[in-house]
Amino acid sequence: MNEPNYQLYIDEREDKILVTLLNKMFYAFLIILLLVTCFSAYLHNRYMYFQVTGISMQNTLNPNPNDKETQDGVLIDKYTQNYHRGDIIVLKDGKVIDKNKYLIKRVIALPGDYITIKLENINGKDEFRLYMQQAGESTPKIVYEDYVSYSNWYTSNSQLYNDVVYEKTFFDGLLRGGEDHKDNIYILDDGALYFKVPEGRVFYMGDNRSHSLDARSAGPTEISNIVGSVSYIAHNIYYDVKPGFTEMACFARFIYSNLVAMFSW
């Protein structure tokens, strides 16, 4: 009687285990690849990458004007439904610049808000200050904008109207901005000019007020012109090194920052 070949049996069993393991690893790889593909498609469908150029949003974006190699990049959430005062947005406004070009600015006032810009003496210096009367409020309040360098805002471009000095581009822009909103300009008893933002529009400006083309040139823009709001800022991204490199770097930073925030608790 022949002895059983135990070694052969063990070898066959180990081969089956190895094949089963490889099959599981293959299917796991396919599942991970599918999930990564779906996640990547979702990111590119929801977010738009925007490379910031110019100085109109300094010092918030591109604070170093002499650095030509790196610039800030932002991710725009195209799914944004509601906008808030202070949001940074990307939009197209044919009244301000070529309708095919993008603008990146900040939301200053929403539909129904009253706004005005006054020249005031602050600590011995003439500086423009933004006042706003939000929808439902009875009196205007000064808006403190930490992101604005007021000393750079004041220029000789001022306008005297009813003994009140206004920032000229703001004044002229509202008056010549179009028939659709000129009836929303009010002169009050104290000579101050207040402008009501019409329904379906927002008033926007760049943080670098003395070097920005914005709603002061042509009045508030329609909300439908807004592409989305900035959900993430990637500072100092290498500019145009390779096609798609800056976008990939921005997305990588975005994902990393969210993972850090997720596990920081």
Side-chain angles (χ1 to χ4, degrees):
M1 182 177 180
N2 295 329
E3 293 292 332
N5 192 340
Y6 293 107
Q7 186 62 44
L8 178 61
Y9 173 74
I10 293 174
D11 291 342
E12 290 178 351
R13 184 180 178 185
E14 290 178 347
D15 289 342
K16 290 181 179 180
I17 294 175
L18 179 60
V19 171
T20 302
L21 179 61
L22 290 175
N23 285 335
K24 289 181 178 180
M25 291 177 62
F26 175 73
Y27 287 118
F29 171 77
L30 289 181
I31 293 173
I32 293 173
L33 180 62
L34 179 62
L35 291 175
V36 170
T37 302
C38 292
F39 180 66
S40 177
Y42 167 77
L43 286 179
H44 281 276
N45 184 54
R46 175 166 182 171
Y47 296 99
M48 166 187 167
Y49 175 74
F50 184 81
Q51 187 79 34
V52 182
T53 58
I55 62 174
S56 69
M57 282 297 291
Q58 290 178 347
N59 289 321
T60 305
L61 300 172
N62 288 348
N64 185 2
N66 297 320
D67 189 351
K68 303 301 182 182
E69 292 186 0
T70 60
Q71 294 177 335
D72 294 341
V74 295
L75 290 182
I76 311 302
D77 188 349
K78 296 185 292 185
Y79 286 10
T80 305
Q81 297 295 324
N82 298 312
Y83 298 98
H84 306 87
R85 300 172 191 88
D87 286 352
I88 301 177
I89 58 173
V90 168
L91 71 152
K92 292 182 177 181
D93 192 342
K95 290 185 177 181
V96 175
I97 199 171
D98 188 296
K99 63 181 180 179
N100 295 319
K101 293 184 178 180
Y102 291 100
L103 295 168
I104 182 165
K105 307 293 178 181
R106 190 181 296 272
V107 174
I108 301 300
L110 300 172
D113 290 345
Y114 291 82
I115 56 175
T116 191
I117 299 173
K118 293 184 179 180
L119 182 65
E120 297 185 347
N121 189 280
I122 309 294
N123 298 325
K125 296 174 60 178
D126 288 332
E127 297 180 357
F128 283 108
R129 283 295 190 269
L130 174 69
Y131 281 80
M132 185 184 307
Q133 180 180 336
Q134 298 182 5
E137 295 184 347
S138 57
T139 56
K141 298 178 181 178
I142 190 170
V143 179
Y144 294 97
E145 301 176 287
D146 296 336
Y147 41 81
V148 171
S149 176
Y150 289 103
S151 60
N152 294 331
W153 191 351
Y154 177 67
T155 66
S156 60
N157 292 326
S158 59
Q159 176 76 34
L160 182 65
Y161 190 85
N162 284 8
D163 298 324
V164 177
V165 179
Y166 297 96
E167 203 269 348
K168 190 175 189 304
T169 57
F170 175 78
F171 184 89
D172 289 350
L174 293 181
L175 292 183
R176 71 166 187 264
E179 297 294 329
D180 52 358
H181 64 255
K182 74 174 185 178
D183 293 335
N184 291 307
I185 299 174
Y186 301 91
I187 309 288
L188 301 187
D189 293 338
D190 62 357
L193 179 147
Y194 288 89
F195 173 73
K196 181 180 180 181
V197 181
E199 292 300 320
R201 294 174 181 262
V202 297
F203 194 88
Y204 65 93
M205 290 192 283
D207 290 356
N208 189 357
R209 298 289 159 79
S210 60
H211 295 85
S212 175
L213 289 174
D214 46 45
R216 291 174 294 173
S217 300
T221 190
E222 296 179 1
I223 294 179
S224 59
N225 290 335
I226 302 176
V227 178
S229 62
V230 172
S231 60
Y232 180 74
I233 299 174
H235 294 289
N236 299 323
I237 292 285
Y238 283 99
Y239 181 60
D240 282 347
V241 177
K242 292 182 180 179
F245 174 82
T246 52
E247 181 179 2
M248 291 173 59
C250 189
F251 269 108
R253 291 191 188 184
F254 173 63
I255 295 172
Y256 174 75
S257 65
N258 278 272
L259 289 174
V260 170
M262 183 183 302
F263 293 105
S264 61
W265 56 272

PDB file of all heavy atoms in Angstrom, residues 84-117:
ATOM      1  N   HIS A  84     -23.073  84.886   0.015  1.00  0.00           N
ATOM      2  CA  HIS A  84     -23.070  85.679   1.234  1.00  0.00           C
ATOM      3  C   HIS A  84     -22.125  86.859   1.077  1.00  0.00           C
ATOM      4  O   HIS A  84     -21.190  86.818   0.264  1.00  0.00           O
ATOM      5  CB  HIS A  84     -22.644  84.825   2.432  1.00  0.00           C
ATOM      6  CG  HIS A  84     -23.444  83.577   2.614  1.00  0.00           C
ATOM      7  ND1 HIS A  84     -23.125  82.395   1.975  1.00  0.00           N
ATOM      8  CD2 HIS A  84     -24.567  83.334   3.336  1.00  0.00           C
ATOM      9  CE1 HIS A  84     -24.004  81.460   2.310  1.00  0.00           C
ATOM     10  NE2 HIS A  84     -24.886  82.002   3.130  1.00  0.00           N
ATOM     11  N   ARG A  85     -22.373  87.902   1.832  1.00  0.00           N
ATOM     12  CA  ARG A  85     -21.475  89.052   1.829  1.00  0.00           C
ATOM     13  C   ARG A  85     -20.087  88.602   2.256  1.00  0.00           C
ATOM     14  O   ARG A  85     -19.934  87.931   3.264  1.00  0.00           O
ATOM     15  CB  ARG A  85     -22.001  90.138   2.767  1.00  0.00           C
ATOM     16  CG  ARG A  85     -23.380  90.649   2.389  1.00  0.00           C
ATOM     17  CD  ARG A  85     -23.937  91.579   3.453  1.00  0.00           C
ATOM     18  NE  ARG A  85     -25.346  91.849   3.199  1.00  0.00           N
ATOM     19  CZ  ARG A  85     -26.346  91.103   3.645  1.00  0.00           C
ATOM     20  NH1 ARG A  85     -26.077  90.032   4.376  1.00  0.00           N
ATOM     21  NH2 ARG A  85     -27.590  91.406   3.367  1.00  0.00           N
ATOM     22  N   GLY A  86     -19.086  88.995   1.509  1.00  0.00           N
ATOM     23  CA  GLY A  86     -17.722  88.612   1.817  1.00  0.00           C
ATOM     24  C   GLY A  86     -17.222  87.417   1.036  1.00  0.00           C
ATOM     25  O   GLY A  86     -16.018  87.144   1.040  1.00  0.00           O
ATOM     26  N   ASP A  87     -18.105  86.685   0.354  1.00  0.00           N
ATOM     27  CA  ASP A  87     -17.675  85.547  -0.459  1.00  0.00           C
ATOM     28  C   ASP A  87     -16.797  86.024  -1.614  1.00  0.00           C
ATOM     29  O   ASP A  87     -17.072  87.064  -2.223  1.00  0.00           O
ATOM     30  CB  ASP A  87     -18.885  84.802  -1.037  1.00  0.00           C
ATOM     31  CG  ASP A  87     -19.612  83.973  -0.009  1.00  0.00           C
ATOM     32  OD1 ASP A  87     -19.110  83.842   1.121  1.00  0.00           O
ATOM     33  OD2 ASP A  87     -20.698  83.449  -0.331  1.00  0.00           O
ATOM     34  N   ILE A  88     -15.763  85.256  -1.916  1.00  0.00           N
ATOM     35  CA  ILE A  88     -14.969  85.495  -3.124  1.00  0.00           C
ATOM     36  C   ILE A  88     -15.594  84.678  -4.245  1.00  0.00           C
ATOM     37  O   ILE A  88     -15.849  83.484  -4.080  1.00  0.00           O
ATOM     38  CB  ILE A  88     -13.503  85.099  -2.919  1.00  0.00           C
ATOM     39  CG1 ILE A  88     -12.893  85.900  -1.766  1.00  0.00           C
ATOM     40  CG2 ILE A  88     -12.698  85.346  -4.190  1.00  0.00           C
ATOM     41  CD1 ILE A  88     -11.462  85.512  -1.449  1.00  0.00           C
ATOM     42  N   ILE A  89     -15.859  85.312  -5.363  1.00  0.00           N
ATOM     43  CA  ILE A  89     -16.563  84.660  -6.469  1.00  0.00           C
ATOM     44  C   ILE A  89     -15.784  84.825  -7.773  1.00  0.00           C
ATOM     45  O   ILE A  89     -14.943  85.711  -7.904  1.00  0.00           O
ATOM     46  CB  ILE A  89     -17.982  85.236  -6.655  1.00  0.00           C
ATOM     47  CG1 ILE A  89     -17.910  86.756  -6.904  1.00  0.00           C
ATOM     48  CG2 ILE A  89     -18.856  84.922  -5.448  1.00  0.00           C
ATOM     49  CD1 ILE A  89     -19.239  87.386  -7.273  1.00  0.00           C
ATOM     50  N   VAL A  90     -16.081  83.944  -8.713  1.00  0.00           N
ATOM     51  CA  VAL A  90     -15.607  84.076 -10.089  1.00  0.00           C
ATOM     52  C   VAL A  90     -16.825  84.289 -10.967  1.00  0.00           C
ATOM     53  O   VAL A  90     -17.833  83.585 -10.826  1.00  0.00           O
ATOM     54  CB  VAL A  90     -14.812  82.827 -10.533  1.00  0.00           C
ATOM     55  CG1 VAL A  90     -14.576  82.841 -12.033  1.00  0.00           C
ATOM     56  CG2 VAL A  90     -13.479  82.767  -9.799  1.00  0.00           C
ATOM     57  N   LEU A  91     -16.748  85.263 -11.855  1.00  0.00           N
ATOM     58  CA  LEU A  91     -17.899  85.620 -12.670  1.00  0.00           C
ATOM     59  C   LEU A  91     -17.456  86.146 -14.021  1.00  0.00           C
ATOM     60  O   LEU A  91     -16.265  86.367 -14.266  1.00  0.00           O
ATOM     61  CB  LEU A  91     -18.746  86.679 -11.961  1.00  0.00           C
ATOM     62  CG  LEU A  91     -18.135  88.094 -11.862  1.00  0.00           C
ATOM     63  CD1 LEU A  91     -19.234  89.134 -11.808  1.00  0.00           C
ATOM     64  CD2 LEU A  91     -17.226  88.218 -10.662  1.00  0.00           C
ATOM     65  N   LYS A  92     -18.441  86.337 -14.886  1.00  0.00           N
ATOM     66  CA  LYS A  92     -18.238  87.010 -16.164  1.00  0.00           C
ATOM     67  C   LYS A  92     -19.197  88.203 -16.220  1.00  0.00           C
ATOM     68  O   LYS A  92     -20.375  88.048 -15.923  1.00  0.00           O
ATOM     69  CB  LYS A  92     -18.505  86.069 -17.337  1.00  0.00           C
ATOM     70  CG  LYS A  92     -17.503  84.936 -17.481  1.00  0.00           C
ATOM     71  CD  LYS A  92     -17.813  84.085 -18.707  1.00  0.00           C
ATOM     72  CE  LYS A  92     -16.771  82.991 -18.903  1.00  0.00           C
ATOM     73  NZ  LYS A  92     -17.042  82.169 -20.115  1.00  0.00           N
ATOM     74  N   ASP A  93     -18.662  89.368 -16.572  1.00  0.00           N
ATOM     75  CA  ASP A  93     -19.489  90.566 -16.654  1.00  0.00           C
ATOM     76  C   ASP A  93     -19.090  91.353 -17.888  1.00  0.00           C
ATOM     77  O   ASP A  93     -18.057  92.015 -17.910  1.00  0.00           O
ATOM     78  CB  ASP A  93     -19.324  91.411 -15.387  1.00  0.00           C
ATOM     79  CG  ASP A  93     -20.376  92.515 -15.295  1.00  0.00           C
ATOM     80  OD1 ASP A  93     -20.995  92.836 -16.321  1.00  0.00           O
ATOM     81  OD2 ASP A  93     -20.578  93.047 -14.184  1.00  0.00           O
ATOM     82  N   GLY A  94     -19.907  91.256 -18.922  1.00  0.00           N
ATOM     83  CA  GLY A  94     -19.604  91.905 -20.187  1.00  0.00           C
ATOM     84  C   GLY A  94     -19.593  93.417 -20.107  1.00  0.00           C
ATOM     85  O   GLY A  94     -19.054  94.091 -20.993  1.00  0.00           O
ATOM     86  N   LYS A  95     -20.190  94.003 -19.058  1.00  0.00           N
ATOM     87  CA  LYS A  95     -20.184  95.458 -18.908  1.00  0.00           C
ATOM     88  C   LYS A  95     -18.852  95.967 -18.383  1.00  0.00           C
ATOM     89  O   LYS A  95     -18.549  97.158 -18.502  1.00  0.00           O
ATOM     90  CB  LYS A  95     -21.303  95.891 -17.958  1.00  0.00           C
ATOM     91  CG  LYS A  95     -22.707  95.733 -18.521  1.00  0.00           C
ATOM     92  CD  LYS A  95     -23.737  96.302 -17.555  1.00  0.00           C
ATOM     93  CE  LYS A  95     -25.134  96.219 -18.126  1.00  0.00           C
ATOM     94  NZ  LYS A  95     -26.138  96.793 -17.201  1.00  0.00           N
ATOM     95  N   VAL A  96     -18.073  95.083 -17.778  1.00  0.00           N
ATOM     96  CA  VAL A  96     -16.814  95.481 -17.159  1.00  0.00           C
ATOM     97  C   VAL A  96     -15.618  95.111 -18.023  1.00  0.00           C
ATOM     98  O   VAL A  96     -14.670  95.883 -18.173  1.00  0.00           O
ATOM     99  CB  VAL A  96     -16.681  94.845 -15.761  1.00  0.00           C
ATOM    100  CG1 VAL A  96     -15.319  95.137 -15.148  1.00  0.00           C
ATOM    101  CG2 VAL A  96     -17.781  95.360 -14.852  1.00  0.00           C
ATOM    102  N   ILE A  97     -15.646  93.901 -18.601  1.00  0.00           N
ATOM    103  CA  ILE A  97     -14.528  93.384 -19.373  1.00  0.00           C
ATOM    104  C   ILE A  97     -15.095  92.455 -20.440  1.00  0.00           C
ATOM    105  O   ILE A  97     -16.303  92.193 -20.463  1.00  0.00           O
ATOM    106  CB  ILE A  97     -13.532  92.642 -18.440  1.00  0.00           C
ATOM    107  CG1 ILE A  97     -12.159  92.494 -19.095  1.00  0.00           C
ATOM    108  CG2 ILE A  97     -14.082  91.315 -17.994  1.00  0.00           C
ATOM    109  CD1 ILE A  97     -11.093  91.977 -18.135  1.00  0.00           C
ATOM    110  N   ASP A  98     -14.228  91.978 -21.332  1.00  0.00           N
ATOM    111  CA  ASP A  98     -14.677  91.040 -22.377  1.00  0.00           C
ATOM    112  C   ASP A  98     -15.528  89.937 -21.769  1.00  0.00           C
ATOM    113  O   ASP A  98     -15.154  89.324 -20.773  1.00  0.00           O
ATOM    114  CB  ASP A  98     -13.450  90.435 -23.065  1.00  0.00           C
ATOM    115  CG  ASP A  98     -13.822  89.596 -24.278  1.00  0.00           C
ATOM    116  OD1 ASP A  98     -14.502  88.570 -24.091  1.00  0.00           O
ATOM    117  OD2 ASP A  98     -13.432  89.955 -25.398  1.00  0.00           O
ATOM    118  N   LYS A  99     -16.686  89.693 -22.369  1.00  0.00           N
ATOM    119  CA  LYS A  99     -17.657  88.759 -21.795  1.00  0.00           C
ATOM    120  C   LYS A  99     -17.141  87.324 -21.716  1.00  0.00           C
ATOM    121  O   LYS A  99     -17.712  86.501 -21.001  1.00  0.00           O
ATOM    122  CB  LYS A  99     -18.951  88.786 -22.596  1.00  0.00           C
ATOM    123  CG  LYS A  99     -18.798  88.324 -24.045  1.00  0.00           C
ATOM    124  CD  LYS A  99     -20.127  88.399 -24.789  1.00  0.00           C
ATOM    125  CE  LYS A  99     -19.992  87.934 -26.233  1.00  0.00           C
ATOM    126  NZ  LYS A  99     -21.292  87.984 -26.954  1.00  0.00           N
ATOM    127  N   ASN A 100     -16.067  87.014 -22.438  1.00  0.00           N
ATOM    128  CA  ASN A 100     -15.501  85.663 -22.405  1.00  0.00           C
ATOM    129  C   ASN A 100     -14.407  85.510 -21.345  1.00  0.00           C
ATOM    130  O   ASN A 100     -13.878  84.415 -21.166  1.00  0.00           O
ATOM    131  CB  ASN A 100     -14.942  85.294 -23.776  1.00  0.00           C
ATOM    132  CG  ASN A 100     -16.029  85.196 -24.834  1.00  0.00           C
ATOM    133  OD1 ASN A 100     -17.102  84.665 -24.582  1.00  0.00           O
ATOM    134  ND2 ASN A 100     -15.757  85.722 -26.016  1.00  0.00           N
ATOM    135  N   LYS A 101     -14.075  86.597 -20.666  1.00  0.00           N
ATOM    136  CA  LYS A 101     -13.021  86.548 -19.659  1.00  0.00           C
ATOM    137  C   LYS A 101     -13.626  86.467 -18.259  1.00  0.00           C
ATOM    138  O   LYS A 101     -14.712  86.984 -18.009  1.00  0.00           O
ATOM    139  CB  LYS A 101     -12.109  87.774 -19.773  1.00  0.00           C
ATOM    140  CG  LYS A 101     -11.300  87.803 -21.064  1.00  0.00           C
ATOM    141  CD  LYS A 101     -10.353  88.985 -21.085  1.00  0.00           C
ATOM    142  CE  LYS A 101      -9.502  88.978 -22.353  1.00  0.00           C
ATOM    143  NZ  LYS A 101      -8.558  90.126 -22.395  1.00  0.00           N
ATOM    144  N   TYR A 102     -12.875  85.831 -17.367  1.00  0.00           N
ATOM    145  CA  TYR A 102     -13.337  85.660 -15.997  1.00  0.00           C
ATOM    146  C   TYR A 102     -12.820  86.784 -15.102  1.00  0.00           C
ATOM    147  O   TYR A 102     -11.735  87.329 -15.319  1.00  0.00           O
ATOM    148  CB  TYR A 102     -12.852  84.322 -15.423  1.00  0.00           C
ATOM    149  CG  TYR A 102     -13.494  83.107 -16.060  1.00  0.00           C
ATOM    150  CD1 TYR A 102     -12.813  82.379 -17.039  1.00  0.00           C
ATOM    151  CD2 TYR A 102     -14.764  82.693 -15.688  1.00  0.00           C
ATOM    152  CE1 TYR A 102     -13.391  81.267 -17.625  1.00  0.00           C
ATOM    153  CE2 TYR A 102     -15.353  81.581 -16.264  1.00  0.00           C
ATOM    154  CZ  TYR A 102     -14.667  80.868 -17.232  1.00  0.00           C
ATOM    155  OH  TYR A 102     -15.239  79.775 -17.810  1.00  0.00           O
ATOM    156  N   LEU A 103     -13.616  87.115 -14.106  1.00  0.00           N
ATOM    157  CA  LEU A 103     -13.230  88.047 -13.055  1.00  0.00           C
ATOM    158  C   LEU A 103     -13.284  87.311 -11.720  1.00  0.00           C
ATOM    159  O   LEU A 103     -14.158  86.471 -11.502  1.00  0.00           O
ATOM    160  CB  LEU A 103     -14.182  89.241 -12.998  1.00  0.00           C
ATOM    161  CG  LEU A 103     -14.227  90.181 -14.210  1.00  0.00           C
ATOM    162  CD1 LEU A 103     -15.427  91.118 -14.097  1.00  0.00           C
ATOM    163  CD2 LEU A 103     -12.944  91.000 -14.293  1.00  0.00           C
ATOM    164  N   ILE A 104     -12.361  87.635 -10.824  1.00  0.00           N
ATOM    165  CA  ILE A 104     -12.426  87.105  -9.465  1.00  0.00           C
ATOM    166  C   ILE A 104     -12.514  88.298  -8.521  1.00  0.00           C
ATOM    167  O   ILE A 104     -11.631  89.151  -8.500  1.00  0.00           O
ATOM    168  CB  ILE A 104     -11.237  86.185  -9.144  1.00  0.00           C
ATOM    169  CG1 ILE A 104     -11.382  85.609  -7.728  1.00  0.00           C
ATOM    170  CG2 ILE A 104      -9.909  86.879  -9.339  1.00  0.00           C
ATOM    171  CD1 ILE A 104     -10.483  84.429  -7.445  1.00  0.00           C
ATOM    172  N   LYS A 105     -13.616  88.374  -7.768  1.00  0.00           N
ATOM    173  CA  LYS A 105     -13.898  89.529  -6.922  1.00  0.00           C
ATOM    174  C   LYS A 105     -14.552  89.060  -5.626  1.00  0.00           C
ATOM    175  O   LYS A 105     -14.663  87.869  -5.359  1.00  0.00           O
ATOM    176  CB  LYS A 105     -14.830  90.519  -7.647  1.00  0.00           C
ATOM    177  CG  LYS A 105     -14.346  90.939  -9.019  1.00  0.00           C
ATOM    178  CD  LYS A 105     -13.078  91.778  -8.977  1.00  0.00           C
ATOM    179  CE  LYS A 105     -12.604  92.140 -10.382  1.00  0.00           C
ATOM    180  NZ  LYS A 105     -11.354  92.941 -10.372  1.00  0.00           N
ATOM    181  N   ARG A 106     -15.027  90.034  -4.834  1.00  0.00           N
ATOM    182  CA  ARG A 106     -15.672  89.726  -3.557  1.00  0.00           C
ATOM    183  C   ARG A 106     -17.091  90.289  -3.543  1.00  0.00           C
ATOM    184  O   ARG A 106     -17.319  91.428  -3.985  1.00  0.00           O
ATOM    185  CB  ARG A 106     -14.866  90.312  -2.395  1.00  0.00           C
ATOM    186  CG  ARG A 106     -15.351  89.820  -1.028  1.00  0.00           C
ATOM    187  CD  ARG A 106     -14.538  90.463   0.086  1.00  0.00           C
ATOM    188  NE  ARG A 106     -13.135  90.095   0.050  1.00  0.00           N
ATOM    189  CZ  ARG A 106     -12.629  89.007   0.653  1.00  0.00           C
ATOM    190  NH1 ARG A 106     -13.441  88.180   1.301  1.00  0.00           N
ATOM    191  NH2 ARG A 106     -11.339  88.755   0.597  1.00  0.00           N
ATOM    192  N   VAL A 107     -18.037  89.505  -3.031  1.00  0.00           N
ATOM    193  CA  VAL A 107     -19.417  89.962  -2.897  1.00  0.00           C
ATOM    194  C   VAL A 107     -19.476  91.013  -1.793  1.00  0.00           C
ATOM    195  O   VAL A 107     -19.083  90.761  -0.650  1.00  0.00           O
ATOM    196  CB  VAL A 107     -20.364  88.791  -2.563  1.00  0.00           C
ATOM    197  CG1 VAL A 107     -21.777  89.313  -2.286  1.00  0.00           C
ATOM    198  CG2 VAL A 107     -20.388  87.780  -3.701  1.00  0.00           C
ATOM    199  N   ILE A 108     -19.968  92.188  -2.137  1.00  0.00           N
ATOM    200  CA  ILE A 108     -20.079  93.282  -1.181  1.00  0.00           C
ATOM    201  C   ILE A 108     -21.503  93.420  -0.656  1.00  0.00           C
ATOM    202  O   ILE A 108     -21.737  93.608   0.539  1.00  0.00           O
ATOM    203  CB  ILE A 108     -19.621  94.606  -1.813  1.00  0.00           C
ATOM    204  CG1 ILE A 108     -18.164  94.483  -2.289  1.00  0.00           C
ATOM    205  CG2 ILE A 108     -19.776  95.769  -0.843  1.00  0.00           C
ATOM    206  CD1 ILE A 108     -17.182  94.158  -1.187  1.00  0.00           C
ATOM    207  N   ALA A 109     -22.478  93.357  -1.545  1.00  0.00           N
ATOM    208  CA  ALA A 109     -23.869  93.547  -1.138  1.00  0.00           C
ATOM    209  C   ALA A 109     -24.773  92.607  -1.920  1.00  0.00           C
ATOM    210  O   ALA A 109     -24.502  92.268  -3.081  1.00  0.00           O
ATOM    211  CB  ALA A 109     -24.293  94.994  -1.348  1.00  0.00           C
ATOM    212  N   LEU A 110     -25.857  92.199  -1.285  1.00  0.00           N
ATOM    213  CA  LEU A 110     -26.817  91.256  -1.854  1.00  0.00           C
ATOM    214  C   LEU A 110     -28.090  91.981  -2.273  1.00  0.00           C
ATOM    215  O   LEU A 110     -28.278  93.167  -1.957  1.00  0.00           O
ATOM    216  CB  LEU A 110     -27.135  90.175  -0.816  1.00  0.00           C
ATOM    217  CG  LEU A 110     -25.952  89.337  -0.339  1.00  0.00           C
ATOM    218  CD1 LEU A 110     -26.376  88.437   0.822  1.00  0.00           C
ATOM    219  CD2 LEU A 110     -25.383  88.504  -1.480  1.00  0.00           C
ATOM    220  N   PRO A 111     -28.986  91.314  -2.986  1.00  0.00           N
ATOM    221  CA  PRO A 111     -30.237  91.954  -3.397  1.00  0.00           C
ATOM    222  C   PRO A 111     -30.990  92.558  -2.212  1.00  0.00           C
ATOM    223  O   PRO A 111     -31.146  91.930  -1.170  1.00  0.00           O
ATOM    224  CB  PRO A 111     -31.035  90.792  -4.007  1.00  0.00           C
ATOM    225  CG  PRO A 111     -29.992  89.839  -4.493  1.00  0.00           C
ATOM    226  CD  PRO A 111     -28.874  89.930  -3.505  1.00  0.00           C
ATOM    227  N   GLY A 112     -31.415  93.818  -2.378  1.00  0.00           N
ATOM    228  CA  GLY A 112     -32.163  94.499  -1.327  1.00  0.00           C
ATOM    229  C   GLY A 112     -31.317  95.332  -0.392  1.00  0.00           C
ATOM    230  O   GLY A 112     -31.851  96.130   0.390  1.00  0.00           O
ATOM    231  N   ASP A 113     -29.973  95.178  -0.434  1.00  0.00           N
ATOM    232  CA  ASP A 113     -29.095  95.963   0.423  1.00  0.00           C
ATOM    233  C   ASP A 113     -28.924  97.381  -0.126  1.00  0.00           C
ATOM    234  O   ASP A 113     -28.946  97.597  -1.339  1.00  0.00           O
ATOM    235  CB  ASP A 113     -27.715  95.317   0.523  1.00  0.00           C
ATOM    236  CG  ASP A 113     -27.729  94.023   1.316  1.00  0.00           C
ATOM    237  OD1 ASP A 113     -28.728  93.767   2.019  1.00  0.00           O
ATOM    238  OD2 ASP A 113     -26.742  93.268   1.239  1.00  0.00           O
ATOM    239  N   TYR A 114     -28.752  98.341   0.782  1.00  0.00           N
ATOM    240  CA  TYR A 114     -28.418  99.711   0.413  1.00  0.00           C
ATOM    241  C   TYR A 114     -26.948  99.935   0.731  1.00  0.00           C
ATOM    242  O   TYR A 114     -26.480  99.594   1.819  1.00  0.00           O
ATOM    243  CB  TYR A 114     -29.258 100.717   1.201  1.00  0.00           C
ATOM    244  CG  TYR A 114     -30.724 100.731   0.847  1.00  0.00           C
ATOM    245  CD1 TYR A 114     -31.593  99.787   1.390  1.00  0.00           C
ATOM    246  CD2 TYR A 114     -31.239 101.688  -0.024  1.00  0.00           C
ATOM    247  CE1 TYR A 114     -32.941  99.795   1.074  1.00  0.00           C
ATOM    248  CE2 TYR A 114     -32.596 101.707  -0.342  1.00  0.00           C
ATOM    249  CZ  TYR A 114     -33.437 100.755   0.212  1.00  0.00           C
ATOM    250  OH  TYR A 114     -34.771 100.768  -0.099  1.00  0.00           O
ATOM    251  N   ILE A 115     -26.201 100.528  -0.207  1.00  0.00           N
ATOM    252  CA  ILE A 115     -24.774 100.748   0.019  1.00  0.00           C
ATOM    253  C   ILE A 115     -24.386 102.156  -0.391  1.00  0.00           C
ATOM    254  O   ILE A 115     -25.042 102.794  -1.224  1.00  0.00           O
ATOM    255  CB  ILE A 115     -23.909  99.739  -0.770  1.00  0.00           C
ATOM    256  CG1 ILE A 115     -24.241  99.806  -2.275  1.00  0.00           C
ATOM    257  CG2 ILE A 115     -24.074  98.335  -0.258  1.00  0.00           C
ATOM    258  CD1 ILE A 115     -23.347  98.937  -3.125  1.00  0.00           C
ATOM    259  N   THR A 116     -23.335 102.660   0.214  1.00  0.00           N
ATOM    260  CA  THR A 116     -22.714 103.912  -0.198  1.00  0.00           C
ATOM    261  C   THR A 116     -21.268 103.888   0.265  1.00  0.00           C
ATOM    262  O   THR A 116     -20.903 103.149   1.182  1.00  0.00           O
ATOM    263  CB  THR A 116     -23.439 105.136   0.385  1.00  0.00           C
ATOM    264  OG1 THR A 116     -22.948 106.316  -0.247  1.00  0.00           O
ATOM    265  CG2 THR A 116     -23.230 105.229   1.885  1.00  0.00           C
ATOM    266  N   ILE A 117     -20.452 104.697  -0.376  1.00  0.00           N
ATOM    267  CA  ILE A 117     -19.037 104.804  -0.027  1.00  0.00           C
ATOM    268  C   ILE A 117     -18.752 106.266   0.279  1.00  0.00           C
ATOM    269  O   ILE A 117     -18.982 107.138  -0.558  1.00  0.00           O
ATOM    270  CB  ILE A 117     -18.137 104.308  -1.170  1.00  0.00           C
ATOM    271  CG1 ILE A 117     -18.425 102.833  -1.463  1.00  0.00           C
ATOM    272  CG2 ILE A 117     -16.672 104.482  -0.823  1.00  0.00           C
ATOM    273  CD1 ILE A 117     -17.710 102.303  -2.674  1.00  0.00           C
TER     274      ILE A 117
END
